[in-house]
Amino acid sequence: MDIPGLPARRAALNLIDAVLRRGETLDQAGGSALARIKGDADRALARAIAGEVLRWRADLDALIDSATRLPLADDAKARAVLQIMLAQVLRLETPAHAVIATGLPLLMGGPRRLAHGVFSTLTKRAVTLPEVPTLPEPVMERWGIRAETIAAGLAVPPPLDLALRDAAATAEWAERLGGISLMPGHVRLPRGIAVEHLDGFREGAWWVQDLAASLPARMLGAGEGRSVLDLCAAPGGKTMQLAAAGWKVTALDNAKRRLERLRENLERTALEAEVVLADAFTWEPQEKFDAILLDAPCTATGTSRRHPDVLHRIAPRQIEEMAEIQTRMLARAAEWLKPGGTLVYAVCSLEQEEGEDRAADVELTLAPITAAELPEGLSPTGEGWLRTDPGMLAEAGGLDGFFIARWVKG
């Protein structure tokens, strides 16, 4: 019989291994790694441990190496177990005795004795982690001069952002939920809240959506009954925004299960959209649209606050593959716009190849984003685009990394 809490630690090891060895996302790995864990609390603990290890891996390794006479191999199981043990003590404030009781049983023989010795040495030293996590070197190189500021925004998981169905009721909902608002239609709450128990969930008054993720749909303004295509729409946050803003929405995606979630969200919020299961590269609309929102497939490095696996999974090959898909989708979207129609392009990526480089190739008339359309503290670029990253609005809890651009078809 397993020691209480041991299955969660074993699952955390499996999650980390799936990310680092097989290149899976934490969500993908969770299907198998968490399957044998019965309680929601233990599943959440396994995910939290894995997330903190991936967020602070370089710094955890530096501590481990400071306490070993000979360096451990990068793929040594003792190193991996020490990472999850230290992450619990230093980030999750788990008592050392509980960490030892649930960590050492994952090892046998010499590695177990080694891990016990290293862990005891480091806890006696009362070691700490730096205030800002050390990013992997390839990530630092890609993100350039903003890398250290972005890293500061990754130190803790993000707060909970809600998008409101009725932006006019922002002050009311912020008061009812005990949150703050950074712009109309937005409420921010502390992380760790069970959303399904919050006031307003059952009646569909709001949905969970990071502040940055809500900005692309805002760039289209009020719909007034005009037609809009939401490309790559699932799970539906932007679709609901557009419907709430008065657009006649066609929501297209090629993921059946994610579209089912979109339909559930529409039903809960009593909002309407035509939902289409199709491949954007083969589908053809019956008529052109007044506006198109293309939230394109991307590497999702801008979501590293909540998905620290992207810090270790994404390499130039994936970025290049995504950039090719984005170029093709932008070309398709431009064909489906009416003359005078508006196209908004967005990616939750921090990579220039997926943002600025793609926007520079679009042969439509730029409709510059203005500061008046953005939360206080954010500004458009000199080109009239918008670039956000996790280091921005830090005093208010930060936001995800996005690139957004807008054009009008002549």
Side-chain angles (χ1 to χ4, degrees), residues 253-270:
D253 204 286
N254 65 355
K256 183 177 180 180
R257 293 183 67 178
R258 284 165 56 84
L259 278 181
E260 289 173 0
R261 184 176 168 195
L262 185 151
R263 289 189 177 94
E264 292 170 358
N265 284 328
L266 287 172
E267 182 177 358
R268 182 175 66 84
T269 56

Side-chain angles (χ1 to χ4, degrees), residues 300-313:
T301 52
T303 68
S304 44
R305 293 188 306 160
R306 69 191 79 245
H307 300 296
D309 52 283
V310 301
L311 299 173
H312 305 279
R313 292 189 300 102

Side-chain angles (χ1 to χ4, degrees), residues 98-364:
V99 171
I100 291 171
T102 55
L104 295 184
L106 296 168
L107 297 168
M108 299 290 289
R112 180 172 181 172
R113 290 190 293 274
L114 173 64
H116 195 183
V118 171
F119 182 77
S120 297
T121 296
L122 292 173
T123 52
K124 286 176 183 176
R125 290 181 189 169
V127 296
T128 60
L129 290 167
E131 292 185 7
V132 175
T134 301
L135 299 178
E137 192 61 34
V139 174
M140 293 284 289
E141 292 176 1
R142 294 202 315 265
W143 294 355
I145 60 173
R146 287 286 298 170
E148 290 189 10
T149 305
I150 294 171
L154 307 182
V156 295
L160 177 68
D161 283 341
L162 307 179
L164 304 178
R165 186 178 58 196
D166 180 8
T170 300
E172 174 190 344
W173 279 108
E175 182 177 356
R176 286 174 66 175
L177 296 172
I180 63 170
S181 177
L182 300 183
M183 66 185 311
H186 167 264
V187 173
R188 172 162 288 182
L189 303 174
R191 68 179 183 274
I193 295 174
V195 295
E196 61 272 17
H197 300 312
L198 284 174
D199 190 16
F201 174 79
R202 292 190 179 279
E203 63 258 43
W206 47 260
W207 53 91
V208 176
Q209 187 178 32
D210 185 81
L211 175 61
S214 76
L215 297 178
R218 293 173 183 268
M219 298 303 106
L220 289 174
E224 300 174 338
R226 293 175 293 160
S227 63
V228 63
L229 172 64
D230 184 5
L231 266 175
C232 311
K238 297 176 181 66
T239 295
M240 291 183 286
Q241 280 184 277
L242 294 168
W247 289 92
K248 180 183 177 182
V249 186
T250 299
L252 184 144
D253 204 286
N254 65 355
K256 183 177 180 180
R257 293 183 67 178
R258 284 165 56 84
L259 278 181
E260 289 173 0
R261 184 176 168 195
L262 185 151
R263 289 189 177 94
E264 292 170 358
N265 284 328
L266 287 172
E267 182 177 358
R268 182 175 66 84
T269 56
L271 294 168
E272 295 184 358
E274 179 186 359
V275 180
V276 178
L277 174 62
D279 185 335
F281 292 123
T282 58
W283 178 77
E284 291 290 345
Q286 294 182 345
E287 55 185 28
K288 295 186 176 182
F289 296 91
D290 294 302
I292 296 177
L293 172 56
L294 171 55
D295 182 11
C298 69
T299 57
T301 52
T303 68
S304 44
R305 293 188 306 160
R306 69 191 79 245
H307 300 296
D309 52 283
V310 301
L311 299 173
H312 305 279
R313 292 189 300 102
I314 302 303
R317 177 178 57 83
Q318 290 98 324
I319 297 170
E320 183 179 343
E321 291 172 353
M322 286 294 118
E324 181 181 350
I325 291 171
Q326 293 150 7
T327 296
R328 294 171 59 200
M329 295 194 83
L330 275 165
R332 296 280 285 173
E335 293 175 358
W336 298 335
L337 270 181
K338 294 178 181 178
T342 302
L343 170 63
V344 169
Y345 170 73
V347 284
C348 55
S349 168
L350 293 170
E351 314 307 325
Q352 177 176 316
E353 295 90 337
E354 299 181 84
E356 290 84 350
D357 290 355
R358 300 284 65 74
D361 292 338
V362 173
E363 296 182 353
L364 297 174

